[in-house]
Amino acid sequence: MSESARFLIDKLYGETSLSREEYAQLIAAHTNEDAEYLFSLALRRREEFYGRDVYIRGLIEFTNYCKNDCLYCGIRRSNRKAERYRLTFDEIMSCCEQGYGLGFRTFVLQGGEDAYFNDERLCNIVSSIKKKYPDCAVTLSVGERSRESYKALYDAGADRYLLRHETADNGHYARLHPKELSPENRKRCLADLKAIGYQVGCGFMVGSPYQTAENLADDMIYIKQLMPHMVGIGPFIPQKDTPFADKAAGTLEQTLFMLGIIRLTIPNVLLPATTALGTIHPLGREKGMMAGANVVMPNLSPVAVRDKYKLYDNKLCTGDEAAECRRCLQARMDRIGFHIVTDRGDCKR
Ligand code: SAH
């Protein structure tokens, strides 16, 4: 075990933060043994707040129309090969009905930035779900909007909002996005969401093109300052019809290591083991749990549209019914001594 990495892991465990230089050093240089040590402490922290419980979120990918052109993303507007779809109001409600029956108490509405879903339509969907399922949380993940729009959606009943900051470094941000998208606006959105009262989730891809250990260190500093309730991270995975088709994917090892670091940086954070992590390794989500994650977000979208929501290639479970995904995940979690609970799964303080 390398002396300095172990020292830094102990320091992070004790103080819940490191300097930018220390984060960068730890991320850049550690052994497998160091990583195992980090995971053991991350698991201890996780258990202090959440025991062996696993929170589930039903993910409803309700539109893949998108006005943005993010270089990494398979549903970017320039991808002519993406077959576009939108779920109807009734289809969305029926996903929720199915999900409720399967024990989901959080519904995540995720989509591209689709102008069809203006405030009026989206508020109607949110308030209808909240009216029918008052014991459930509604999470939105529909990208950058105005503060007024976020407020209207919050007033309609939305509880949480996921908006990955993607990278805290402005130069790196510019290499992943077209110039009409700015890191300042992304961060403005997150600040507004938090000020309005949402439970907020930020996050980033691990191993995205051009990412350095210093970039990841900046992500940790940004996260520590924002203090979100959730942090969503997963490996970058190339999608064949994007400009990043030939870039290397992020690795399992680095994603797990970052999960452990995030758990020690915000001990009570809601931390999903993402579908992307399950996509790069058959036991990715299980390993994510063992590295400090406490949430999984199985798909509730209708099977007919699942393989059209392709942010990246080889996405998991695109052919499975929601009930099958739910059963499969339960078995996977049971096998490693964790249990899925029927609960809204709010952040513990
Ligand atoms: N449009 C919404 C939500 C959909 S994209 C938004 O912008 O927030 C959800 C997340 O998927 C993105 O934040 C990004 O981090 C991730 N993602 C996109 N393309 C990816 C890829 N090729 N590999 C891994 N993750 C990807």
Side-chain angles (χ1 to χ4, degrees):
M1 201 173 297
S2 49
E3 276 303 310
S4 58
R6 198 190 163 120
F7 171 82
L8 292 172
I9 293 167
D10 281 332
K11 181 169 177 191
L12 179 57
Y13 181 74
E15 299 178 10
T16 71
S17 70
L18 294 176
S19 70
R20 177 179 187 269
E21 291 67 32
E22 289 169 330
Y23 273 121
Q25 189 193 331
L26 179 58
I27 291 163
H30 56 264
T31 63
N32 290 340
E33 261 191 312
D34 296 328
E36 290 305 325
Y37 181 63
L38 170 68
F39 302 155
S40 70
L41 296 182
L43 208 50
R44 194 187 297 172
R45 276 282 188 248
R46 175 212 201 278
E47 290 187 357
E48 277 169 32
F49 290 93
Y50 301 103
R52 304 286 279 192
D53 289 354
V54 175
Y55 294 150
I56 50 173
R57 321 292 196 200
L59 184 64
I60 304 170
E61 299 156 335
F62 70 107
T63 173
N64 72 349
Y65 284 88
C66 192
K67 71 173 164 66
N68 290 336
D69 221 14
C70 307
L71 278 72
Y72 45 83
C73 186
I75 63 169
R76 66 201 299 267
R77 69 158 185 267
S78 325
N79 182 7
R80 299 264 165 71
K81 296 207 178 141
E83 242 186 275
R84 306 290 168 170
Y85 74 90
R86 260 179 209 124
L87 298 186
T88 63
F89 176 86
D90 290 344
E91 285 173 321
I92 294 169
M93 293 307 288
S94 104
C95 289
C96 295
E97 190 178 333
Q98 218 194 348
Y100 193 87
L102 292 170
F104 289 92
R105 296 295 177 268
T106 292
F107 301 115
V108 181
L109 294 170
Q110 188 180 86
E113 293 196 19
D114 179 358
Y116 174 84
F117 289 103
N118 56 18
D119 289 352
E120 193 188 334
R121 290 198 174 97
L122 214 44
C123 285
N124 180 44
I125 294 167
V126 170
S127 60
S128 303
I129 298 175
K130 290 293 289 191
K131 191 167 167 215
K132 188 152 179 217
Y133 306 103
D135 55 335
C136 292
V138 171
T139 306
L140 293 173
S141 178
V142 290
E144 299 175 25
R145 298 172 85 98
S146 66
R147 179 163 182 149
E148 294 67 43
S149 172
Y150 288 147
K151 177 76 169 78
L153 292 162
Y154 184 77
D155 291 340
D159 303 274
R160 308 187 185 129
Y161 205 103
L162 300 179
L163 184 76
R164 291 184 175 182
H165 64 285
E166 309 298 356
T167 172
D169 181 87
N170 291 354
H172 186 218
Y173 194 93
R175 302 184 81 174
L176 303 180
H177 300 94
K179 43 177 184 320
E180 65 267 21
L181 291 174
S182 81
E184 291 80 14
N185 194 51
R186 198 91 184 158
K187 288 178 183 154
R188 186 275 303 161
C189 288
L190 282 160
D192 281 351
L193 289 163
K194 199 145 189 239
I196 289 167
Y198 282 94
Q199 296 175 37
V200 171
C202 67
F204 54 90
M205 294 178 288
V206 178
S208 61
Y210 318 111
Q211 185 180 63
T212 64
E214 285 72 27
N215 294 155
L216 288 166
D218 283 335
D219 288 324
M220 294 308 104
I221 301 292
Y222 173 70
I223 286 171
K224 188 70 193 181
Q225 173 227 317
L226 180 69
M227 281 300 235
H229 303 80
M230 303 164 268
V231 177
I233 69 163
F236 161 73
I237 303 175
Q239 203 283 339
K240 61 181 174 21
D241 306 308
T242 63
F244 288 167
D246 299 323
K247 303 286 186 198
T251 64
L252 174 75
E253 288 69 27
Q254 195 167 31
T255 307
L256 296 175
F257 198 75
M258 294 313 299
L259 284 171
I261 288 189
I262 293 167
R263 171 62 65 202
L264 294 192
T265 299
I266 308 184
N268 64 336
V269 77
L270 295 163
L271 195 58
T274 54
T275 304
L277 185 57
T279 297
I280 57 163
H281 188 283
L283 295 176
R285 287 169 300 179
E286 288 88 330
K287 288 173 186 286
M289 287 293 139
M290 304 306 294
N294 70 320
V295 175
V296 282
M297 301 173 63
N299 206 316
L300 282 183
S301 312
V303 174
V305 303
R306 283 217 195 163
D307 65 337
K308 300 192 177 100
Y309 197 81
K310 272 190 206 129
L311 307 180
Y312 49 82
D313 291 333
N314 307 315
K315 193 174 151 201
L316 272 188
C317 310
T318 52
D320 298 343
E321 290 292 345
E324 179 50 31
C325 285
R326 173 72 179 72
R327 247 195 314 274
C328 163
L329 265 178
Q330 174 124 14
R332 284 170 180 271
M333 295 300 127
D334 285 347
R335 236 174 273 143
I336 55 171
F338 289 86
H339 21 260
I340 290 178
V341 292
T342 295
D343 193 295
R344 271 173 55 114
D346 288 300
C347 190
K348 300 236 161 124
R349 289 285 153 191

